[in-house]
Amino acid sequence: MVPHKGNASTGVRPDRYRAALAAAEAVPKHLFINNKFVGAKSGKRIPVVDPRTEKTILEIDEGCPEDVDAAVLAATEAFVKGPWPRTAAVERGRMLDKLADLVEQHAEEFALLETLDTGKPFQAALMMDIPGFVAQMRHQAGWADKLSGQTFKHSMPVFAYTLREPYGVCGLIVPWNFPVALLGMKLAPALAAGNTVVVKPAEHTMLSTLRLAQLVVEAGFPPGVFNVVTGYGATVGAALVKHPLVHKIGFTGSTAVGKLILAEAAGTMKSASLECGGKNPLIICADANIDEAVGVLQFAAFTNAGQFCTSASRLYVHADIYDAFMAKAIKHTQARKVGDPFEDDTEQGAITFRGQFDKVMDLIQSGQEQGATLLTGGKSIGDQGLFIEPTLFGDVKDDMRIATEEIFGPVLCCMKWHNVDEVIARANATRYGLVAGVFTNDINLAHTISRSLQAGTVWINNCWHCLSPSVPFGSYKESGTGVEGGQQGIEAYTKCKVVMTPLTASPWL
């Protein structure tokens, strides 16, 4: 094993860190219901922990099922009696645009909050996460007045047509790895379609959602349209999923929790769009441009410290180029700077919370115990904080834990392959089917492999993580249900109603 050359800085960039603390202190620490910040009925608080130091920096109210009920009732009132679903669709779009403008104006503040909460590099939050939220809002704002039904040639003298109608109250359960960006993927289509929402942010990363609530008021959204209940999944999340007045659930998170949501949602037969885990394969063909592929691999595997549902997790390199490819991959991986996320040149920050850190380290240990070769990384960095070296394993077998379980950390499993049928079968031999990728200069081979891979998205060559609000994002197998993004994304937050009326004297049918 070659040791990682990077370090985790024990200090911080003081100006940015002070600004982040000030921004966090200014965020209300309560639930947001009916356009007001209100205390939780439980009287309990959730600590906000800085993953760089594992020190508690502040506390936020811990919601309970009674708070969920209050938020759902406010959202129901806003939908049934309030102006939002009866507002002209083009005006709803303008409201989404206004919220996007406000977030963009406060982009640096939101990036500071995301860095403080998640441990991700500030520059990544500023250049990816916040623009991602803004882009989602603007894209779906444009769809607000373009939702339309169809007319049909009926077999009888009847005029038949369809309407796309909002569900009503939607429960949005948001993960901790991209708090504001992934909220945008659900919030934008839900609001554009005329729904009202109750948001449950992850208990590890609540700050940006509460700050957004302040801007919702500033943008002029009616009371009850946007509500936030902070708390734990087992209490707040479960109550939201079970609530009979919530008619749609949007969720991003683990497959295990996604299955629980499906089971609970069955009790009220509510619709659920679930974006869950992945064990994503990247296939490097013998004719690939090695330097280009190695560069993309760093972005594919280690963005956000690998805490990304679309991260490359299983690397299959053709045997003819495996040694040359891995030599360069090791060199590039060792050169990544792991450290203070507030510094501009930091490429990888901290793991977001202790439980995830321990899971990643346990899987690294299991890889070594099961016989994989640790090529580089594999250790924690520094005396404080949740930093892990970018890690490459070689000689990985397909049945090892590191090759079958979603790691959600900066760990990549590297394997050789010899023929196309073999690598396709191995890439598909997983319960997941979120994304995949292939590197080749042969367009026919690219199409053969991409059409054979059981994944919702397949990236060919240099476009890994190329996500866009205009492009549908779905999955296969246990990676989820439903689609986010594009026209399908907003239609997912609507129901299809058929209306028929007799034609008694029509000149034609």
Side-chain angles (χ1 to χ4, degrees):
M1 186 198 87
V2 184
H4 181 73
K5 298 175 182 177
N7 274 314
S9 171
T10 55
V12 296
R13 177 167 167 168
D15 57 335
R16 246 182 220 152
Y17 181 58
R18 283 195 297 267
L21 286 177
E25 288 292 343
V27 170
K29 312 305 186 294
H30 307 298
L31 318 182
F32 183 76
I33 299 174
N34 225 17
N35 274 16
K36 296 180 180 179
F37 286 95
V38 297
K41 297 182 187 299
S42 69
K44 298 179 181 178
R45 309 277 278 176
I46 301 173
V48 174
V49 178
D50 182 350
R52 297 160 36 264
T53 62
E54 288 196 275
K55 295 179 180 178
T56 298
I57 53 178
L58 49 85
E59 294 181 332
I60 290 173
D61 280 8
E62 177 187 338
C64 62
E66 290 81 4
D67 296 309
V68 172
D69 192 54
V72 171
L73 290 176
T76 301
E77 182 81 1
F79 184 78
V80 173
K81 298 180 180 180
W84 185 248
R86 283 158 286 281
T87 298
V90 67
E91 182 59 28
R92 286 202 304 270
R94 290 194 188 105
M95 294 288 287
L96 266 66
D97 277 330
K98 187 172 182 180
L99 183 59
D101 290 344
L102 287 170
V103 170
E104 192 170 55
Q105 291 167 22
H106 295 272
E108 185 165 330
E109 178 188 353
F110 273 93
L112 289 169
L113 292 174
E114 295 292 76
T115 298
L116 189 64
D117 242 356
T118 68
K120 70 176 58 188
F122 169 79
Q123 288 297 335
L126 187 63
M127 302 302 293
M128 291 176 56
D129 297 41
I130 314 310
F133 176 90
V134 171
Q136 289 287 346
M137 299 301 287
R138 288 177 175 159
H139 178 79
Q140 295 295 355
W143 268 110
D145 65 345
K146 297 172 185 64
L147 280 174
S148 59
Q150 295 176 282
T151 60
F152 301 91
K153 291 286 188 180
H154 203 286
S155 58
M156 295 181 283
V158 168
F159 176 46
Y161 63 95
T162 56
L163 299 170
R164 303 298 313 193
E165 295 188 349
Y167 273 98
V169 180
C170 300
L172 309 182
I173 302 175
V174 185
W176 46 264
N177 56 333
F178 290 92
V180 73
L182 291 180
L183 172 57
M185 289 185 74
K186 296 160 179 53
L187 181 65
L191 294 183
N195 298 285
T196 59
V197 304
V198 178
V199 179
K200 189 214 118 29
E203 59 268 25
H204 307 289
T205 53
M206 302 171 280
L207 291 171
S208 58
T209 304
L210 293 172
R211 179 66 181 106
L212 182 67
Q214 293 179 296
L215 297 187
V216 165
V217 176
E218 187 175 340
F221 282 78
V225 172
F226 178 87
N227 306 274
V228 180
V229 181
T230 52
Y232 294 100
T235 51
V236 170
L240 195 56
V241 172
K242 293 177 184 177
H243 204 290
L245 296 180
V246 174
H247 302 296
K248 170 76 180 183
I249 293 292
F251 167 81
T252 296
S254 72
T255 292
V257 175
K259 289 180 178 180
L260 291 174
I261 288 174
L262 275 181
E264 294 289 356
T268 51
M269 295 293 287
K270 59 171 56 76
S271 172
S273 296
L274 311 176
E275 195 263 281
C276 299
K279 193 66 183 172
N280 310 307
L282 173 55
I283 298 170
I284 310 297
C285 298
D287 67 339
N289 182 314
I290 292 179
D291 289 331
E292 182 182 21
V294 167
V296 170
L297 176 65
Q298 298 297 307
F299 183 64
F302 300 124
T303 295
N304 207 44
Q307 300 169 116
F308 204 159
C309 60
T310 59
S311 287
S313 183
R314 294 178 294 149
L315 175 69
Y316 294 94
V317 182
H318 194 279
D320 290 352
I321 62 169
Y322 181 86
D323 290 341
F325 186 96
M326 292 310 303
K328 292 188 175 184
I330 291 169
K331 183 177 179 181
H332 277 70
T333 302
Q334 290 175 322
R336 293 185 67 81
K337 181 183 176 184
V338 183
D340 172 20
F342 289 103
E343 294 288 349
D344 284 338
D345 60 348
T346 293
E347 294 174 283
Q348 179 181 310
I351 303 300
T352 300
F353 62 100
R354 169 58 65 174
Q356 185 60 26
F357 175 91
D358 290 342
K359 175 189 173 183
V360 175
M361 294 305 296
D362 174 66
L363 282 163
I364 289 173
Q365 182 178 345
S366 81
Q368 295 173 281
E369 291 173 349
Q370 291 187 311
T373 301
L374 187 59
L375 301 174
T376 187
K379 297 179 181 178
S380 61
I381 306 176
D383 298 326
Q384 66 173 357
L386 303 173
F387 298 91
I388 298 177
E389 294 175 337
T391 300
L392 297 179
F393 275 106
D395 303 311
V396 177
K397 305 299 182 186
D398 291 315
D399 61 352
M400 291 179 177
R401 284 183 63 201
I402 55 173
T404 59
E405 297 181 24
E406 185 179 36
I407 300 173
F408 223 63
V411 182
L412 182 65
C413 305
C414 308
M415 295 162 276
K416 296 178 184 177
W417 64 277
H418 296 84
N419 68 72
V420 173
D421 290 341
E422 165 220 338
V423 76
I424 290 171
R426 291 170 68 191
N428 287 336
T430 173
R431 64 192 180 107
Y432 298 106
L434 192 59
V435 304
V438 55
F439 248 91
T440 179
N441 290 316
D442 183 336
I443 188 64
N444 292 319
L445 183 58
H447 285 308
T448 296
I449 293 176
S450 63
R451 290 176 179 230
S452 301
L453 291 172
Q454 297 167 0
T457 297
V458 179
W459 288 304
I460 297 173
N461 293 340
N462 190 6
C463 59
W464 197 283
H465 289 322
C466 287
L467 302 168
S468 171
S470 61
V471 179
F473 183 75
S475 57
Y476 283 32
K477 299 188 277 191
E478 293 186 23
S479 286
T481 63
V483 174
E484 293 185 305
Q487 180 177 351
Q488 292 93 328
I490 190 169
E491 287 181 349
Y493 284 88
T494 66
K495 296 169 291 186
C496 180
K497 174 183 283 185
V498 177
V499 180
M500 287 182 271
T501 183
L503 293 172
T504 56
S506 177
W508 53 267
L509 294 175

